[in-house]
Amino acid sequence: MSRLRFPHVFRDPGLYQQALTHRSAGRPNNERLEFLGDSLVGMLVAELLFESHPRADEGELTRMRAQLVSGSALAEVARALELGEALRLGPGELKSGGHRRESILADAFEALVAAVYLDAGWEACRDCVRSLFTERARQLRAPEKDAKTRLQELLQGRGLALPVYELVSSSGDDHAKVFEVACVIEQPPLRLGGHGSSRRAAEQIAAQQALDHIKELLANER
């Protein structure tokens, strides 16, 4: 394994190697470290956001944290550290390009954060995470609430029942599935569909369709 562009020098090289060892390469691997690192990253990023966005409310902070610690966001940090080149993978993952896979990169990054904590303690771990996320946290703006959240809040604000999302169908090969979901609302009575590459994406599209329809109804009532 090559050395990382990482803001911590390990006293225990075994922890460093374990953090970068995928389960496909055998044991000891980074699965347990990833479990611990997930909580550490979430906590330390939450602290950063709390400091850097003093006017953000709980919902905005929650959405910003989700944006910063998502799999794709952590994979982006891992790529900046050239983490993929340092991973230890089994033959199958090597052949399939596992060193570029977002989930593997994100998990290995979280495992590295846990390894720092075990190697040098809380303050070293905190300093490491802050050095990687401070600028990202400062530049981040609170993302708009997603369609499902906005639809739920609209209905709750009018004392109406929450929507139900039904999986209508899924088709296509495993690598290119298409999901159809229906958003069902009791009042006003609606059943609107959405298609997406995942069930979650289809639900968001269906929720947006319902939002647009309800807003049109409300506009016509004025």
Side-chain angles (χ1 to χ4, degrees), residues 119-135:
D119 185 65
W122 171 257
E123 287 301 326
C125 180
R126 184 173 181 265
D127 290 345
C128 178
V129 171
R130 291 175 78 90
S131 72
L132 295 170
F133 285 91
T134 294
E135 194 57 33

Side-chain angles (χ1 to χ4, degrees), residues 19-42:
L20 295 175
T21 300
H22 187 256
R23 65 176 179 271
S24 63
R27 291 179 177 275
N29 56 52
N30 63 11
E31 287 187 315
R32 281 174 54 83
L33 289 174
E34 184 271 326
F35 166 79
L36 176 59
D38 176 70
S39 295
L40 289 167
V41 171

